[in-house]
Amino acid sequence: MFAAPARIIFSFSSMEPLLLATNSPAAAANNSRQGRHRGDFIRPMAMSNSLLRNDFDLQEGLTDVQKILHQRQKNAREMMITIDNLKRLCIDHYFKEEIESVMSSTCMDLIHSDDLFDATLAFRLLREAGHDVSANDVSQRFTKDDSCEFKLPLSKDIRGLLSLHDMSHLNIGGEALLYKAKEFSSKHLASAIRYLEPSLAEYVRQSLDHPYHLSLMQYKARHHLTYLQSLPIRDTAVEKLAVTEFQLNKLMHQKEIQEIKRWWMDLGLVQEIPIVRDQVLKWYMWSMTTLQGYSFSRYRVEITKIIALIYVVDDIFDLVGTLEELSHFTEAVKVWNTAAADSLPSYMRSCYKALYTITNEIADMAKQEHGLNPVNHLRKAWVVLFDAFMVEAKWLTMDQDVTKVLKH
């Protein structure tokens, strides 16, 4: 018999998530409702012996938001706005089934609307979900008959302009009206900022400086939440869930960074080669921004290790090794055998061992999860990188200007 899933209690006063066992049959029945994998909702966190005040039950929070989605099914605009807020707050992954079940009908109803906000938001949500929708079919209703210029009265519709601006960044190439949409919305939003109330002005400024589709989603989520909290009518259940999600992500990232720091210090390369860069947080930022979500936690850690080693190898080639040593280093990588590194200097052997070990660990992980061992592909990727570094090292040794070589 399967164990009942856990429940997370989140304390706003302590910002500490607490993992509690749920043995309730009712909870188990609810977890299996509609075939949902409730494990997607659960994040393993540290145990705690006591609950503090202002506790937030994640499972109850999810249920509260599900009720909101259910209540708004009959109002296409409100439903669409709610879905958009969930996406912008990075909590839509909890409600994939609910969103997918209403996406086509809700958005298709509004994409033909004569309201700028409704039509552009419907278009954006559909295109984000992979639906084949035409930007021209949407935009042409809001442009002058004899040109591709947007109608001037639309410049007063701030909400519509914000949505048009978001839509303009989903250009898949050759969509001239979306270029016009970006130009028109940016111009009139910028000129309107001075006349808007402070919270809306700040939101518009953020949208122009850091467009939704060109920014880190978790970064934008904080600004969107701040804006929602300034509105007279609020969805407190959505806001509480967003705050909880943000804090859980924060704790998860802190845990990952600590794990990487321990690995880095245990590796000892920064002590053995003092000149190499020691930038754990910077390296982690690469994987954190490209792989988001709890399910990618292990991948973020492993990829950060690879990034760290790339920086170490780069520093060895640029600042430490002689041309002969670097040549032997490169050949050892091509052989891909720890014995091949025996003739290398001590610091190179240490780097090679770390590179070899981490690469094989990642390959083993991929084999266990997907049934295929990619070690040869990973090894070849290292060879390509080392060959490139070797070419650069030869250029520098010959005192040639790299820019001039590239131009020729």
Side-chain angles (χ1 to χ4, degrees):
M1 183 175 179
F2 292 103
R7 297 173 69 217
I8 294 177
I9 303 295
F10 186 85
S11 170
F12 281 95
S13 56
S14 66
M15 297 304 182
E16 179 71 23
L18 314 172
L19 185 65
L20 305 176
T22 298
N23 297 314
S24 164
N30 184 54
N31 290 344
S32 60
R33 180 174 56 86
Q34 296 180 349
R36 182 187 303 284
H37 300 288
R38 300 296 288 190
D40 293 343
F41 291 175
I42 305 304
R43 300 165 180 270
M45 296 289 179
M47 295 292 289
S48 176
N49 294 325
S50 62
L51 295 178
L52 300 178
R53 54 192 176 84
N54 300 325
D55 299 321
F56 178 78
D57 187 319
L58 179 59
Q59 299 293 349
E60 291 181 6
L62 293 169
T63 302
D64 290 341
V65 177
Q66 285 175 330
K67 291 178 181 178
I68 292 175
L69 289 170
H70 179 72
Q71 293 167 357
R72 294 179 180 172
Q73 287 182 356
K74 295 181 180 179
N75 188 319
R77 168 183 267 215
E78 289 301 317
M79 187 65 174
M80 200 167 57
I81 292 173
T82 303
I83 292 174
D84 185 42
N85 285 334
L86 295 177
K87 291 170 68 69
R88 289 179 182 272
L89 295 172
C90 300
I91 53 177
D92 58 302
H93 59 93
Y94 288 121
F95 311 101
K96 285 185 177 179
E97 291 180 8
E98 290 86 346
I99 292 174
E100 290 173 0
S101 66
V102 301
M103 179 67 76
S104 297
S105 58
T106 300
C107 292
M108 283 301 181
D109 287 343
L110 290 180
I111 199 169
H112 302 294
S113 171
D114 291 327
D115 181 87
L116 180 63
F117 174 78
D118 288 348
T120 52
L121 178 55
F123 169 87
R124 180 167 62 78
L125 292 178
L126 285 169
R127 180 162 283 192
E128 286 174 353
H131 292 266
D132 183 15
V133 286
S134 169
N136 287 345
D137 290 346
V138 175
S139 301
Q140 283 177 349
R141 292 197 303 280
F142 305 102
T143 56
K144 300 174 183 177
D145 294 336
D146 56 346
S147 70
C148 292
E149 300 297 326
F150 283 84
K151 298 174 182 177
L152 191 58
L154 296 173
S155 63
K156 306 299 181 182
D157 182 0
I158 300 300
R159 198 180 196 188
L161 287 176
L162 281 167
S163 185
L164 182 65
H165 186 257
D166 288 333
M167 170 183 165
S168 72
H169 289 92
L170 294 181
N171 196 327
I172 58 177
E175 296 178 298
L177 275 175
L178 288 187
Y179 290 112
K180 291 285 187 180
K182 182 179 180 181
E183 179 182 346
F184 178 82
S185 59
S186 298
K187 174 185 175 181
H188 291 289
L189 285 171
S191 63
I193 288 178
R194 72 188 74 175
Y195 305 111
L196 302 176
E197 56 89 16
S199 60
L200 180 56
E202 177 59 24
Y203 188 75
V204 170
R205 190 178 295 107
Q206 278 288 334
S207 298
L208 292 174
D209 293 343
H210 305 283
Y212 174 57
H213 295 93
L214 303 180
S215 304
L216 178 62
M217 303 303 292
Q218 292 180 20
Y219 168 79
K220 293 294 293 182
R222 296 186 66 179
H223 291 284
H224 191 66
L225 178 61
T226 300
Y227 172 66
L228 292 180
Q229 291 172 335
S230 72
L231 298 178
I233 301 177
R234 298 166 55 184
D235 284 333
T236 55
V238 173
E239 293 174 12
K240 287 182 178 180
L241 182 58
V243 171
T244 303
E245 179 74 2
F246 175 79
Q247 293 297 336
L248 291 176
N249 279 329
K250 178 181 177 180
L251 291 168
M252 175 182 64
H253 292 315
Q254 289 174 341
K255 180 182 177 182
E256 292 169 1
I257 292 175
Q258 290 171 358
E259 180 180 349
I260 295 165
K261 282 184 176 179
R262 284 194 298 270
W263 166 83
W264 175 246
M265 296 310 296
D266 291 343
L267 198 61
L269 289 178
V270 71
Q271 290 82 21
E272 190 169 358
I273 322 172
I275 201 170
V276 300
R277 280 167 282 189
D278 182 7
Q279 301 172 329
V280 172
L281 182 59
K282 173 183 174 180
W283 301 330
Y284 176 72
M285 289 294 293
W286 286 81
S287 56
M288 188 193 76
T289 54
T290 54
L291 296 174
Q292 299 181 36
Y294 176 76
S295 60
F296 292 108
S297 178
R298 173 48 44 190
Y299 301 108
R300 282 193 293 271
V301 171
E302 299 304 319
I303 288 177
T304 302
K305 294 177 182 179
I306 293 296
I307 293 171
L309 292 175
I310 290 174
Y311 273 85
V312 171
V313 171
D314 185 37
D315 287 340
I316 288 175
F317 270 81
D318 288 348
L319 305 170
V320 185
T322 66
L323 193 61
E324 182 179 358
E325 291 171 343
L326 297 174
S327 179
H328 292 318
F329 196 13
T330 302
E331 291 304 315
V333 171
K334 292 179 179 179
V335 174
W336 201 249
N337 188 306
T338 52
D342 290 344
S343 61
L344 297 176
S346 174
Y347 71 92
M348 280 189 177
R349 286 200 303 272
S350 298
C351 180
Y352 184 91
K353 179 181 177 181
L355 185 153
Y356 182 88
T357 301
I358 293 302
T359 303
N360 283 313
E361 287 177 354
I362 291 176
D364 291 341
M365 183 174 67
K367 183 178 180 180
Q368 291 176 6
E369 294 184 7
H370 304 288
L372 295 174
N373 191 331
V375 67
N376 287 331
H377 296 286
L378 299 177
R379 177 183 60 82
K380 289 177 182 178
W382 280 117
V383 170
V384 170
L385 181 65
F386 270 69
D387 281 342
F389 283 160
M390 197 67 215
V391 171
E392 183 185 25
K394 290 178 180 178
W395 285 343
L396 295 175
T397 300
M398 293 184 293
D399 198 27
Q400 290 187 359
D401 188 301
V402 177
T403 304
K404 291 181 180 179
V405 174
L406 290 175
K407 286 182 178 179
H408 286 82

